[in-house]
Amino acid sequence: MKLTTAAAALSLCSLASAKTWVLSERLAGADLIQAFNFEVGAGTDNGGIADYGSLQTSRRRGLLAVSATTGWTMLKTSTGAATPEGNRESIRMSSKKRYSGGLFVFDVTHMPTGCGVWPALWMVAPDNWPTGGEIDIIEGVHATTQNLMSTHTTSVCIQQTTGFTGTFSYTANPALANTCDVVPTNNQGCGVRSPSTKSFGASFNQAQGGVYALQWDTTGLRTYFWPRSAVPADITAGAPTGTGWGTPANYVSAAGCPMTHFDPMVLVVNTNLCGTWGSGVWSDNLSYAGQSYSCAAKTGYSTCEAYVRANGGAFRQAYWTIRDIKVYV
Ligand SMILES: *[C@@H]1O[C@H](CO)[C@@H](O)[C@H](O)[C@H]1NC(C)=O
């Protein structure tokens, strides 16, 4: 039977809510580390001053570790001296596998926080940006507490204005807030900020973190966040059905943004330092993202780079702890 477009969309909709997802991968501990490439480079990432180490170097330096008691994976930033080049050691890992859809469930108990950091957990079509798209699931800077979820594409990808709890973040030109094309938005794409002050940084960590999920299917991209105390039972049980998930924090419907914008993607977790974003807002109080002071005022340093280079001890909270990553199809 040939369905009309409307009928097809409707049936996909009802399928989406009734779907029982099947686990295809659970990445934790040694298996998680094995599933990623560790990208090496100093001062190469968006103007940042992170010095990303190899798997071997990161392990040796104590920056990459699996807890013997919990089995959770820790990705740390160096709390020692800056490198001779003026960078700070950190980690950027990128999955060996590419994914072209599914339900990705990230159980995170700690994320980097504090002036100078720019951590992210995201997906991107490598070597094909922006044509192959980018989906940012967790991202923020400094001591903010509200997560930013952005989608980066070429034209035409317009995000609908309803169906999610977050708010558009692109204030430079509100008329472009839901334009995901990187060209008119100065590479920002369409960004949506979580209303939850437990969704990023110190307050996320204080609540024992939580679970992020990206549902990427033919109907669109839906990003969910649940703090530890509110993770739905089906997610905890490892048998997700979508029941009790509530409204997603972010949603990009395929109706205005064809999923053909998104090529197979790698999953990336990194902690950058300063960089275009971090340095760019060093002197802003970022009150729109749950921070109440500027890092310049708080630290007494007029630049992000000078602060990061001189204050290793300030990076004790600049680490990720990942309990596991589950991929369902
Ligand atoms: C943050 O800065 C904005 C202007 O940039 C100002 O309106 C607001 O009052 C400031 N908030 C705090 C908490 O200082």
Side-chain angles (χ1 to χ4, degrees):
M1 185 179 81
K2 190 172 188 305
L3 295 174
T4 66
T5 307
L10 197 64
S11 75
L12 283 171
C13 251
S14 48
L15 276 176
S17 59
K19 177 161 176 136
T20 299
W21 295 90
V22 176
L23 184 68
S24 78
E25 273 181 279
R26 175 177 181 262
L27 304 175
D31 292 341
L32 188 151
I33 291 172
Q34 176 59 33
F36 284 82
N37 292 313
F38 289 75
E39 296 171 301
V40 178
T44 55
D45 190 3
N46 283 303
I49 59 168
D51 182 349
Y52 297 127
S54 67
L55 191 161
Q56 291 75 15
T57 302
S58 299
R59 265 196 206 281
R60 196 173 61 242
R61 306 281 288 150
L63 302 180
L64 174 66
V66 176
S67 162
T69 48
T70 59
W72 303 348
T73 307
M74 297 178 77
L75 314 176
K76 301 184 193 174
T77 303
S78 168
T79 56
T83 66
E85 296 76 26
N87 300 303
R88 178 166 296 287
E89 290 170 285
S90 177
I91 291 177
R92 173 171 161 139
M93 63 178 196
S94 175
S95 67
K96 293 176 181 170
K97 194 166 161 181
R98 296 188 188 200
Y99 301 91
S100 48
L103 175 67
F104 304 84
V105 179
F106 307 96
D107 191 329
V108 177
T109 60
H110 191 281
M111 69 170 73
T113 182
C115 287
V117 303
W118 176 5
L121 187 158
W122 49 297
M123 299 186 81
V124 66
D127 311 317
N128 189 23
W129 194 92
T131 310
E134 173 185 332
I135 305 166
D136 302 333
I137 301 150
I138 306 177
E139 189 178 17
V141 290
H142 304 322
T144 53
T145 58
Q146 289 172 254
N147 185 45
L148 183 65
M149 300 154 283
S150 304
T151 309
H152 304 254
T153 65
T154 51
S155 73
V156 175
C157 169
I158 301 292
Q159 183 170 2
Q160 82 294 346
T161 58
T162 58
F164 53 94
T165 61
T167 51
F168 287 118
S169 70
Y170 191 61
T171 49
N173 186 345
L176 289 175
N178 64 339
T179 297
C180 306
D181 182 356
V182 298
V183 173
T185 59
N186 193 24
N187 286 348
Q188 296 199 39
C190 47
V192 167
R193 183 163 283 110
S194 172
S196 168
T197 54
K198 287 182 180 159
S199 62
F200 194 84
S203 50
F204 173 92
N205 297 338
Q206 276 150 21
Q208 286 80 53
V211 172
Y212 271 92
L214 171 69
Q215 180 183 331
W216 171 7
D217 61 27
T218 54
T219 67
L221 311 170
R222 291 170 178 81
T223 305
Y224 293 87
F225 166 65
W226 306 287
R228 183 68 53 201
S229 59
V231 180
D234 62 330
I235 294 285
T236 305
T241 61
T243 307
W245 291 8
T247 305
N250 190 25
Y251 173 34
V252 178
S253 167
C257 182
M259 291 296 108
T260 47
H261 279 291
F262 306 100
D263 284 354
M265 293 192 180
V266 294
L267 176 63
V268 186
V269 185
N270 72 295
T271 305
N272 201 352
L273 298 163
C274 302
T276 46
W277 189 4
S279 295
V281 298
W282 183 250
S283 300
D284 297 350
N285 65 31
L286 305 181
S287 56
Y288 53 80
Q291 186 176 307
S292 56
Y293 50 79
S294 83
C295 282
K298 170 102 169 168
T299 64
Y301 284 77
S302 61
T303 70
C304 183
E305 291 79 5
Y307 175 71
V308 169
R309 285 177 185 132
N311 294 280
F315 293 85
R316 291 199 182 89
Q317 293 299 313
Y319 66 92
W320 290 96
T321 304
I322 301 173
R323 197 164 168 166
D324 60 22
I325 298 172
K326 290 178 180 155
V327 183
Y328 298 88
V329 293

